Amino acid sequence: MLLRLLAAAGLAIAMTTAAPAQDAAPAAAPAPGWSFAIHGGAGTLERSRMTPEQQADYRTALQAALDAGRAVLAGGGSAVDAVTAAITRLEDDPKFNAGKGAVFTWDGINELDASIMDGNGRRAGAVAGVHTVRNPILLAKAVMDDGRHVMLSGKGAEQFAGEHDLAIVAPAYFATDHRRRQLEELKAKNLSALDVEFKFGTVGAVARDADGHLAAGTSTGGMTGKRWGRIGDSPVIGAGTYADDAACAVSATGSGEFFIRAAVAHTICERVRAARKLTVDGKTETVPLTTEVLQGIVDGVIAEVGEMGGDGGVIVAGPDGKPVFSMNTPGMYRGRATSDGLSEVAIFADE
């Protein structure tokens, strides 16, 4: 009898000891860290063309835009909100060719384009040829949120902006003396846009938030002296902007016609999607993507643009790791930050 009681007690103790192990929940996967990157245009950005004071001014402006997006992500905000926070900051800064400070068309007006894409569901919105909307990126976001269309243009886009309570300004708001002088020089000397501006004027941002969602946005005033309602890659989903949670987020700046022809943003994302797939014994799994692999993919696409005759660059946020940059020009205004503490801005290609 005593032996049976001792055996029963031992069994009870064993069951009590084992129970926590049987009931323990599996360890939760670590939350993905957020990452963020911005650009303010690529082109012939060389130290010999910029005074130390000019360099400092641009770095300060880039840091302010980077901080605006970083604050959203660090506070648990969405990738879309981080992208719009940074781009509106750049649109309001006359040093950049987007919003206030946009270049002039041949006819002496400011004509603005923008686009945004949410990688969570691949929602997108874009606008082209607007003249009175203070922040075109907010109009592009309103088009995306409305959901009925992807791209609106001209007067229709401005009417849509008015119906959605976006800030409307007089066309003169966007004009600056510096941009007017560039147009006058271009016409007087029969120059190209790059001869008077030295860069492709575009701003953009890409983000991955703490939930792993991606977003990209781009805004521009186009090219100095553009004619006939010319539209570049910035508002074209798949060319200047693209985001897909299964791949990456891309914002481009460069010779728009080539970026459209190469479908640069979409091409990068498709190659990233393919690189994340690993098939073993007939089963396909999604694997992490190293920063080095992402950089190689992006560099390859920009090299192809160069072979076609196009110049420019991109910023890319992947599903893992830190954002990357790539350019085939002497420089690109840019910056990046991550939840791991990285925060940097740069101008020249050798930085």
Side-chain angles (χ1 to χ4, degrees):
M1 182 66 176
L2 178 61
L3 290 176
R4 285 199 297 271
L5 289 173
L6 289 173
L11 178 61
I13 293 171
M15 290 178 66
T16 302
T17 304
Q22 293 171 349
D23 296 338
W34 59 262
S35 65
F36 189 60
I38 61 170
H39 73 76
T44 310
L45 301 173
E46 299 173 341
R47 288 180 176 82
S48 61
R49 292 180 181 266
M50 301 179 69
T51 67
E53 291 76 17
Q54 289 173 324
Q55 293 181 38
D57 286 346
Y58 273 99
R59 292 180 193 275
T60 298
L62 290 168
Q63 189 66 58
L66 187 70
D67 289 344
R70 179 173 61 178
V72 172
L73 296 170
S78 71
V80 168
D81 287 345
V83 164
T84 54
I87 293 180
T88 52
R89 187 71 180 249
L90 293 168
E91 287 177 336
D92 290 342
D93 191 326
K95 286 189 286 296
F96 300 97
N97 175 16
K100 187 174 180 63
V103 299
F104 284 94
T105 68
W106 184 266
D107 295 323
I109 60 176
N110 306 109
E111 206 162 66
L112 312 170
D113 310 326
S115 64
I116 191 167
M117 189 165 184
D118 183 355
N120 183 19
R122 288 188 283 186
R123 301 181 307 129
V127 295
V130 298
H131 306 280
T132 63
V133 182
R134 173 171 173 164
N135 293 110
I137 192 64
L138 296 183
L139 177 53
K141 182 178 182 297
V143 173
M144 178 180 73
D145 291 341
D146 180 79
R148 286 174 289 180
H149 306 293
V150 170
M151 180 181 284
L152 301 180
S153 66
K155 292 182 178 179
E158 293 180 336
Q159 179 182 349
F160 182 90
E163 294 174 358
H164 286 73
D165 298 323
L166 295 178
I168 303 298
V169 296
Y173 164 82
F174 302 103
T176 63
D177 291 339
H178 171 62
R179 297 303 190 188
R180 195 178 299 278
R181 286 193 298 270
Q182 287 182 337
L183 176 63
E184 293 170 352
E185 183 182 4
L186 179 143
K187 288 184 172 182
K189 299 181 181 180
N190 194 28
L191 302 174
S192 72
L194 280 182
D195 288 327
V196 297
E197 195 182 354
F198 309 123
K199 70 181 181 70
F200 299 102
T202 308
V203 305
V206 295
R208 181 183 70 244
D209 61 32
D211 292 324
H213 298 309
L214 299 168
T218 313
S219 182
T220 188
M223 298 177 66
T224 301
K226 63 181 180 179
R227 305 176 75 175
W228 310 298
R230 179 263 185 189
I231 297 172
D233 64 304
S234 296
V236 179
I237 300 300
T241 302
Y242 201 78
D244 181 356
D245 282 1
C248 62
V250 183
S251 176
T253 171
S255 42
E257 283 70 17
F258 292 96
F259 279 65
I260 292 172
R261 288 163 54 188
V264 165
H266 185 265
T267 297
I268 290 172
C269 284
E270 281 301 292
R271 294 184 186 180
V272 168
R273 186 199 302 271
R276 296 185 73 206
K277 299 299 182 182
L278 178 66
T279 302
V280 179
D281 296 331
K283 296 182 179 180
T284 301
E285 299 180 355
T286 299
V287 298
L289 190 72
T290 67
T291 300
E292 291 73 21
V293 170
L294 178 61
Q295 186 71 63
I297 291 170
V298 176
D299 287 344
V301 174
I302 291 301
E304 291 173 17
V305 172
E307 292 168 1
M308 293 170 61
D311 294 326
V314 293
I315 56 175
V316 181
D320 313 287
K322 62 185 179 182
V324 302
F325 310 112
S326 187
M327 71 202 84
N328 61 4
T329 54
M332 179 168 70
Y333 296 118
R334 62 198 188 275
R336 60 183 173 180
T338 68
S339 55
D340 294 333
L342 173 68
S343 179
E344 61 184 16
V345 296
I347 298 175
F348 309 109
D350 59 4
E351 295 184 82

